[in-house]
């Protein structure tokens, strides 16, 4: 293709070139205004987002100081006047939500400047600008709501960890998030992040200077950008997540000593094979790009410093690109990316490479045979390799006063160039590189006058970020790995769940991995690392509760529950078992002074597990079952020694707790060996069970204890007069013995007033053993059994709960409550007082998620399917229904009327 001549008038119009004196380092062409300092908003808690009012204008008459993150909410507009200076503290961001707008309209003579308050400034001393839009991306979940303008199938949305919980993504590729022009973003964590931005958004003449990470990050969408001046950033430009927009006139000048890469192009937001081929695929058009990415041996990334990286399945059209002295010019990585290259969906033509140490990375991928060196030297694609950089640019290496114009008549100026497309953001630019040659009239580069030099910054100070890794439903999670995504620094949480990392000041992006089986790895969490300071950030993992964990529990005439409003108990309170500081009964839920993640209720005492792994108990303590070293009743929770614990179980007058590493400790009454310590001596503080394997869950009965090991095999110890240990005998055991039958269970249950136990396997089959005089084993007879026997039912069961002489469960298929055994007070819930030796359904139309069995009463938590705001079906666990005996107010509904069928209970509580 012939190189087109530059017409002076077109060049002047397209590149803002005018006949002006050559630029100088000390004389940018801006008009300073008198200004005072105004604090726009103040954030007292790190990480809290402070929304702006519906419409706000920031004036150039004052320096705008951001003391924390600012979010422009949906329907709001932030207008920033030309010449405005904005300074942010560490951790401050400007976040534009979907359906909000930013109108930052700087000019050539009065650019908008965003920097930090720190003196001296360092990379990452404030956050940067994040703009969230409604355009299509290729990662996340189905979008909500779907854009009314267009409805391609499979539109997705996701969350940026810094802007969470605000989401980005949708179906509107024409989305308009506002205007960003003549904007300098300096010393940010990440200069400008355009996430799912549509082609209706105007973005041009942007400088990102000395960002710690990317100068500009584009995630999905169709945004068009031009005149980007990206100086001395960690990575100048990265695209990912399905970006299908355009870019022209992109000048990249990396610090010779410290940078990660020049430009990184990706399709997938992660390195998985699935993500690499996610749709819509990244397929941008880039014209007129200059990348100065030479590296020095002092650069810690020197061996792998690359100018252009194309990976994770990206497509793209790249034309008129100039590499200046890169250590590695080009790295095309991954099978999917190579497939795009081979199919012609990824093309690089009209490329000039000068003075490269290596043209390609030399690395190969399975199924990928691309030769990067040959590609850059392919004259058929008008690609050229020059051995020297001498005489190509006017002032290429100067970060204080860069002048990247090609020298007239030099090989770069004479290189064959492609003609850019017409329309959209594209302007005439049939030359290689981001800046046309100087020509006649001393025309200055388009980036002169409104941009800033990039002198060597101050060193980045360090700080610490620490906290606890825990699950709201499981408590602390020791042994998990916590990694800062940006630096790769990692640590392992200790047995108390605590982690601590020393990191560069700025934004930490923390990932949690090596989580327990069954727990999903959580989304990346953002936190602020203060210079020479410390920050606390607890990391939550949404684990399901351990088998045996109770959120509702019942004893002899009272019950407790963990609700949205806190932890509450109700009913009999003769020994302080309600935990409210009195011994006065309560017919309505009464708050316990401490909130818990789970709880357990014995015959006349209760214990709760705190988020930090402490166990606290209250109520009757005559046998030392509270674990506080005494044999006294306690009407408020007292702390048990030891831990941290992952699970607590309460029996008739004893308590056991399991540590996070599977050891079991017990305390309280021990006349039958229910503590498992090798003797029948009582204990008022935790004693470790002896001769035991590592356990996965525990449960406690009246005078016996059972547990499952890591294989699912059941073990029991203590009283065995009714065969409740399941070992085929009626001999008490002071140490754990294996339950006979070779069964493997996923859950095991017994109760604080019970002399029987039940185990549930993965198929939903239940086997029970022990006392059976009322049919509580569900075998169809009233004959006790010293080994597991099957519950007779055609239903798969879950959530088995053991009362005193009855048992309940939830039907997997119908979510009905099924109970069997004694029914003298209607605790089966079928409207009768007839004992049931096999499961009978409660007379209720409600569906249930969990159940509990008390002494002569039962309760269950209802759930209903409701439509969420994203049009998905959400299961909402809400109400508690109880049936059976209520003579001491154990229903928590303000009466002492018993019921033969499920009736509303726990008045005013929303059960978790």
């Amino acid at each position: 293709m012939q190189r087109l001549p530059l017409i002076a008038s077109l060049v002047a119009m397209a590149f803002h070139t005018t006949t002006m004196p050559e630029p100088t380092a000390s004389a940018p062409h801006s008009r300073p205004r008198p200004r005072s300092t105004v604090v726009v908003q103040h954030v007292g808690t790190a990480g809290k987002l402070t929304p702006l009012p519906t419409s706000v204008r920031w004036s150039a008459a004052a320096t705008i100081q951001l003391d924390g993150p600012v979010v422009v909410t949906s329907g709001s507009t932030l207008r920033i006047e030309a010449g405005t200076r904005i300074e942010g503290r560490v951790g401050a961001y400007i976040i534009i939500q979907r359906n909000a707008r930013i109108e930052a309209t700087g000019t050539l003579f009065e650019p908008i400047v965003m920097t930090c308050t720190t003196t001296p400034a360092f990379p990452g001393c404030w956050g940067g600008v994040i703009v969230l839009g409604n355009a299509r991306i290729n990662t996340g979940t189905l979008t909500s709501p779907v854009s009314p303008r267009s409805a391609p199938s499979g539109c997705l949305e996701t969350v940026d960890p810094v802007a969470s919980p605000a989401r980005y993504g949708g179906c509107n590729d024409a989305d308009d998030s506002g205007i960003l022009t003549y904007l300098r973003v300096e010393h940010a964590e990440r200069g400008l992040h355009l996430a799912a931005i549509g082609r209706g958004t105007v973005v041009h003449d942007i400088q990102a200077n000395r960002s710690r990470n990317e100068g500009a990050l584009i995630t999905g969408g169709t945004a068009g950008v031009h005149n980007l001046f990206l100086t001395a950033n960690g990575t100048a430009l990265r695209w990912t997540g399905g970006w299908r927009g355009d870019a022209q006139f992109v000048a990249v000048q990396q610090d010779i000593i410290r940078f990660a890469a020049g430009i990184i192009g990706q399709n997938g937001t992660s390195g998985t094979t699935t993500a690499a081929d996610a749709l819509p695929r990244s397929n941008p058009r880039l014209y007129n790009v200059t990348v100065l990415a030479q590296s020095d041996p002092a650069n810690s990334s020197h061996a792998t410093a690359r100018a252009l990286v194309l990976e994770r399945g990206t497509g793209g059209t790249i034309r008129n690109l100039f590499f200046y002295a890169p250590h590695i010019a080009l790295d095309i990585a991954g099978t999917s990316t190579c497939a795009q290259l081979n199919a012609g969906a990824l093309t690089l033509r009209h490329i000039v490479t000068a003075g490269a140490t290596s043209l390609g990375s030399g690395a190969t991928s399975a199924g990928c045979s691309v030769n990067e060196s040959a590609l850059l030297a392919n004259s058929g694609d008008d690609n050229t390799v020059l051995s020297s950089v001498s005489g190509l640019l006017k002032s290429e290496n100067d970060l204080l006063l860069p002048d990247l114009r090609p020298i007239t008549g030099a090989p770069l100026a004479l290189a064959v160039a492609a003609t850019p497309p017409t329309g959209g953001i594209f302007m005439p630019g049939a030359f290689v590189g981001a800046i046309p040659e100087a020509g006649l009239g001393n025309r200055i580069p388009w980036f002169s006058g409104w941009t800033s030099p990039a002198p060597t910054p101050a060193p980045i100070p360090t700080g610490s970020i620490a906290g606890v890794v825990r699950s709201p439903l499981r408590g602390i999670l020791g042994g998990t790995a916590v990694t800062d995504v940006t630096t790769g620094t990692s640590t392992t949480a200790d047995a108390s769940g605590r982690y601590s990392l020393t990191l560069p000041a700025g934004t930490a992006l923390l990932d949690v991995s090596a989580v327990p089986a069954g727990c999903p790895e959580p989304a990346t969490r953002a936190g602020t690392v203060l210079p020479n300071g410390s920050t606390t950030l607890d990391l939550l993992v949404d684990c399901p509760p351990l088998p045996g964990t109770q959120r509702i529990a019942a004893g002899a005439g009272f019950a407790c529950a963990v609700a949205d409003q806190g932890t509450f108990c109700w009913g009999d309170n003769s020994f302080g078992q309600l935990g409210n500081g009195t011994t006065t009964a309560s017919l309505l839920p009464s708050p316990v002074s401490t909130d818990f993640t789970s709880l357990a209720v014995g015959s006349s005492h209760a214990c709760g597990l705190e988020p930090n792994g402490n166990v606290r108990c209250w109520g009757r303590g005559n046998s030392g079952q509270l674990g506080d070293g005494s044999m006294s009743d306690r009407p408020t929770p007292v702390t048990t020694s030891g831990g941290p614990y992952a699970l607590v179980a309460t029996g008739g007058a004893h308590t056991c707790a399991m540590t996070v590493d599977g050891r079991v400790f017990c305390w309280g009454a021990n006349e039958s060996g229910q503590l498992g310590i090798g003797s029948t001596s009582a204990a008022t503080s935790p004693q470790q069970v002896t001769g035991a394997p590592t356990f996965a869950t525990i449960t406690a009965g009246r005078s016996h204890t059972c547990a499952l090991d890591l294989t699912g095999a059941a073990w029991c110890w203590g009283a065995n007069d009714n065969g409740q240990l399941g070992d085929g005998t009626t001999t008490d055991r002071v140490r754990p013995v294996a339950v006979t039958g070779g069964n493997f269970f996923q859950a095991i249950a017994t109760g604080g007033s019970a002399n029987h136990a039940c185990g549930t396997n993965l198929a939903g089959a239940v086997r029970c053993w022990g006392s059976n005089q009322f049919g509580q084993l569900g075998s169809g007879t009233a004959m006790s059994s010293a080994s597991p026997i099957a519950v007779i039912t055609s239903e798969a069961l879950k959530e088995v709960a053991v009362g005193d002489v009855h048992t309940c469960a939830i039907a997997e298929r119908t979510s009905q409550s099924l109970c069997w055994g004694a029914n003298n007070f209607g605790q089966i819930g079928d409207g009768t007082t007839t004992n049931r030796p096999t499961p009978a359904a409660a007379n209720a139309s409600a569906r249930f998620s969990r159940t509990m069995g008390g002494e002569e009463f039962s309760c269950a938590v209802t759930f209903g399917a409701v439509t969420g705001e994203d049009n998905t079906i959400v299961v909402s666990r809400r109400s508690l229904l109880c049936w059976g005996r209520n003579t001491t107010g154990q229903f928590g509904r303000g009466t002492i009327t018993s019921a033969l069928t499920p009736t509303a209970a726990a008045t005013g509580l929303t059960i978790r």
Side-chain angles (χ1 to χ4, degrees):
M1 182 178 295
Q2 290 295 318
R3 179 178 177 275
L4 300 180
L6 296 180
I7 303 173
S9 60
L10 279 177
V11 172
M13 178 176 62
F15 311 112
H16 316 296
T17 54
T18 54
T19 302
M20 300 178 67
E22 291 289 330
T24 63
S26 59
H29 306 292
S30 58
R31 302 168 184 166
R33 298 189 186 192
R35 58 180 77 240
S36 58
T37 297
V38 174
V39 177
V40 170
Q41 60 96 35
H42 180 78
V43 176
T45 304
K48 180 180 178 182
L49 299 178
T50 300
L52 290 180
T54 301
S55 181
V56 168
R57 178 182 293 275
W58 288 348
S59 168
T63 295
I64 308 300
Q65 181 175 303
L66 308 179
D67 291 329
V70 172
V71 59
V72 183
T73 55
S74 177
S76 302
T77 299
L78 172 62
R79 295 182 174 90
I80 306 176
E81 190 177 90
T84 302
R85 182 177 177 85
I86 299 165
E87 297 179 354
R89 296 186 185 276
V90 174
Y93 283 83
I94 297 174
I95 299 170
I96 314 300
Q97 285 189 348
R98 287 190 298 192
N99 303 312
R101 287 179 60 81
I102 181 171
E103 296 178 2
T105 51
T107 68
L108 174 65
F109 294 103
E110 292 186 305
I112 294 167
V113 178
M114 297 181 179
T115 185
C116 65
T117 59
T118 306
T119 302
F122 59 86
C125 58
W126 77 293
V129 181
I130 301 173
V131 187
L132 310 177
N134 289 289
R136 287 185 298 156
I137 58 177
N138 66 19
T139 185
T141 56
L142 291 177
T143 189
S144 168
V146 175
S147 167
R149 296 191 184 184
S150 59
S153 62
C155 300
L156 302 175
E157 66 178 6
T158 191
V159 175
D160 178 88
V162 174
S164 178
R167 304 177 76 82
Y168 65 89
C171 295
N172 184 9
D173 283 344
D175 192 37
D176 178 359
S177 296
I179 305 171
L180 294 162
T181 62
Y182 290 101
L183 170 65
R184 292 205 321 255
V185 184
E186 300 178 341
H187 299 101
E189 188 73 41
R190 174 178 287 144
L192 178 63
H193 184 188
L194 303 178
I197 298 305
R199 68 178 69 94
T201 308
V202 176
V203 183
H204 67 79
D205 292 282
I206 307 293
Q207 182 187 16
N209 188 12
R210 289 287 181 191
S211 295
R212 178 184 169 200
N213 295 301
E214 294 93 352
L217 170 63
I218 306 177
T219 305
T222 55
V225 297
H226 65 95
N227 290 42
L228 300 185
F229 192 51
L230 308 175
T231 49
N233 301 287
T235 295
L237 169 66
R238 179 163 69 96
W239 72 78
T240 189
W243 179 44
R244 290 150 290 121
D246 299 322
Q248 189 181 22
F249 308 129
V250 179
V252 173
Q253 187 182 27
Q254 293 293 59
D255 189 330
I256 193 171
I257 295 178
R258 52 175 72 82
F259 74 91
I263 298 176
I264 299 176
Q266 302 168 335
N267 178 55
T269 55
S270 73
T272 65
T273 301
T274 302
D277 286 316
L279 299 177
R281 187 181 299 277
S282 291
N283 190 29
R285 296 184 296 178
L286 273 71
Y287 279 74
N288 301 101
V289 180
T290 293
V291 181
L292 280 74
Q294 70 271 38
S295 61
D296 184 90
N299 183 355
S300 61
S301 302
H302 172 70
T304 57
R306 298 161 294 173
L308 175 62
V309 181
L310 300 170
E311 61 183 6
R312 298 184 184 177
T314 189
T317 300
I318 300 174
R319 302 288 186 270
N320 300 347
L321 186 149
F322 172 51
F323 291 120
Y324 180 94
H327 182 70
I328 297 173
L330 178 63
D331 183 4
I332 297 178
T335 302
S336 184
T337 316
C338 290
Q340 303 309 304
L341 186 72
N342 294 334
L346 173 63
T347 58
L348 296 91
R349 297 172 185 161
H350 305 279
I351 313 297
V352 174
T353 307
T357 304
S358 175
L359 293 178
S361 66
T364 59
S365 303
C368 179
S369 58
V370 63
N371 185 323
E372 297 133 339
S373 299
L375 189 155
L376 291 181
N378 184 2
S379 60
D381 287 333
D382 292 317
N383 295 339
T384 304
V385 175
L386 304 175
S387 60
S388 172
V389 296
S390 177
L392 296 181
L393 301 178
K394 296 197 69 172
S395 177
E396 62 279 353
N397 284 326
D398 192 346
L399 284 169
L400 297 178
L401 184 61
D403 188 347
L404 308 184
R405 291 175 294 177
I407 295 174
T408 301
L412 178 60
L414 299 175
V416 177
T419 300
T422 58
I425 60 100
F426 288 111
M427 294 179 283
F431 51 87
V432 174
I435 299 95
E437 63 184 272
L440 301 174
N442 288 323
R443 296 182 185 88
I444 66 170
W446 52 261
F447 57 80
S448 284
W450 59 276
T451 60
S452 177
T456 301
I460 302 176
T462 60
S464 67
I465 188 166
V468 174
V469 185
R470 61 183 178 87
S471 164
L473 298 180
R474 194 176 290 191
I476 63 170
L477 299 176
T480 52
V482 180
T483 303
D484 176 51
V485 175
T486 303
T487 63
T489 304
S490 185
T491 189
T492 300
D494 64 18
S496 300
R498 294 201 59 82
Y499 77 93
S500 180
L501 291 169
T502 299
L503 297 172
T507 301
L509 298 176
L510 302 184
D511 277 349
V512 179
S513 59
V515 297
C519 300
E521 291 190 359
T524 301
R525 179 78 186 275
T528 299
V529 179
L530 299 175
N532 306 308
S534 60
T535 302
T536 298
L537 179 66
D538 288 350
L539 302 175
L540 301 184
V541 182
D542 190 19
C543 294
L546 283 170
T549 297
Q550 300 178 75
R551 310 281 288 175
I552 54 172
F558 79 108
C560 298
V562 177
D564 285 352
Q565 297 89 342
T567 301
F568 290 78
C569 296
W570 56 90
D572 183 30
N573 197 27
S574 303
F575 305 100
Q577 58 262 51
L578 302 191
N580 61 8
T582 76
T583 55
T584 303
S586 177
L587 301 182
L588 291 171
S590 176
V592 181
S593 59
T594 303
D595 196 15
F596 298 102
T597 61
S598 63
L599 50 77
V601 168
S603 178
S604 298
H605 77 291
C607 296
L609 182 69
E610 293 183 308
N612 61 6
N614 286 340
V615 166
R616 305 188 75 191
C617 299
W618 61 95
R620 192 165 195 180
N622 62 323
S623 298
Q625 59 263 53
L626 305 186
D628 65 341
S630 76
M631 301 180 74
S632 301
D633 298 347
R634 303 292 187 187
T636 55
V638 292
T639 301
T640 297
S641 62
Y645 298 107
L647 189 65
V648 62
T650 48
H654 75 290
T655 305
C656 294
M658 187 182 76
T659 62
V660 293
D661 57 2
R663 293 172 295 140
V664 172
F665 293 79
C666 296
W667 57 93
N670 193 31
E671 71 282 356
S672 300
Q674 57 263 48
L675 301 189
I677 58 176
S679 72
T680 56
S681 300
T684 59
S685 61
Q687 305 296 313
Q688 186 170 356
V689 175
T690 60
T694 298
F695 287 123
T697 185
I698 56 169
T699 184
R702 178 179 296 172
S703 298
H704 74 292
T705 309
C706 293
L708 295 181
D709 65 21
L710 297 180
T711 71
W715 300 72
C716 295
W717 57 94
N720 198 23
D721 52 321
N722 291 286
Q724 57 264 50
L725 302 189
D727 66 344
T729 77
T730 54
T731 304
D732 294 353
R733 306 290 186 179
V734 296
R735 291 185 177 88
V737 292
V739 174
T740 63
N743 297 288
F744 294 95
F745 301 111
Q746 66 168 342
I748 191 169
T750 184
S753 300
N755 286 326
H756 71 289
C758 297
T760 309
N761 68 17
L762 290 171
V766 177
R767 291 181 175 271
C768 298
W769 56 94
S771 178
N772 194 33
Q773 68 270 39
F774 299 101
Q776 58 263 46
L777 300 189
S779 61
T781 73
M783 184 179 296
S784 298
S785 177
S787 60
I789 55 176
V791 174
I792 298 175
T793 178
S794 60
E795 295 278 359
L797 302 178
K798 61 180 181 178
E799 301 291 336
V800 176
V802 172
D804 56 340
V805 286
H806 75 291
T807 310
C808 292
I810 303 297
E812 184 79 50
R813 180 177 58 86
T814 64
S815 297
Q816 287 180 299
S817 172
L818 301 177
C819 297
W820 55 95
N823 196 26
N824 53 319
F825 280 93
Q827 55 264 51
I828 304 299
D830 63 352
T832 76
T833 55
T834 303
N835 295 344
R836 302 295 184 183
T838 58
N843 188 4
S845 60
R847 292 183 292 170
F848 297 100
S849 62
R850 296 193 304 279
T851 188
M852 69 179 183
E855 191 170 300
E856 300 174 327
F857 73 105
S858 307
C859 297
V861 181
T862 67
F863 73 88
V866 297
T867 301
E869 62 180 9
D870 58 355
N871 296 317
T872 59
I873 300 300
V874 178
V875 174
S876 176
R877 295 173 173 84
R878 309 307 297 168
S879 303
L880 187 70
L881 302 185
C882 294
W883 54 96
R885 189 173 187 176
N886 187 35
T887 54
T888 58
Q890 49 264 64
F891 289 5
R893 58 175 295 163
T895 73
I896 55 171
T897 303
S898 299
L900 300 181
T901 58
T903 185
T907 300
L909 295 188
T910 303
I911 305 299
R912 289 185 186 175

